[in-house]
Amino acid sequence: MIFKGQRSEESDEAFFEYLRRLAGRLEEERAGGQPFTFDELPPEHPARVFAVRVNTDCGA
């Protein structure tokens, strides 16, 4: 899991509020076309090419 932004040490509630706002921002990014999974990347994307190479090299 990757969190974007800054982690507040103020309180647990402040952190939970950050997570609630984060969820909305991430949904906006996804609606705008930002990929969040390998399945959402085109086959030639460097991350997918690397993953295929690594998995092939290790015998998977």
Side-chain angles (χ1 to χ4, degrees), residues 47-60:
R48 289 188 80 163
V49 171
F50 175 77
V52 168
R53 186 184 55 143
V54 169
N55 285 322
T56 301
D57 289 348
C58 72

Side-chain angles (χ1 to χ4, degrees), residues 7-57:
R7 166 70 158 98
S8 172
E9 299 293 337
E10 296 174 22
S11 69
D12 288 346
E13 184 54 39
F15 183 63
F16 292 135
E17 181 59 30
Y18 158 77
L19 292 177
R20 287 189 281 272
R21 289 190 315 268
L22 176 65
R25 286 195 309 269
L26 293 178
E27 284 305 315
E28 288 175 10
E29 288 183 28
R30 174 172 267 162
Q34 177 69 36
F36 282 86
T37 67
F38 276 125
D39 291 339
E40 296 171 325
L41 296 173
E44 68 280 357
H45 189 281
R48 289 188 80 163
V49 171
F50 175 77
V52 168
R53 186 184 55 143
V54 169
N55 285 322
T56 301
D57 289 348

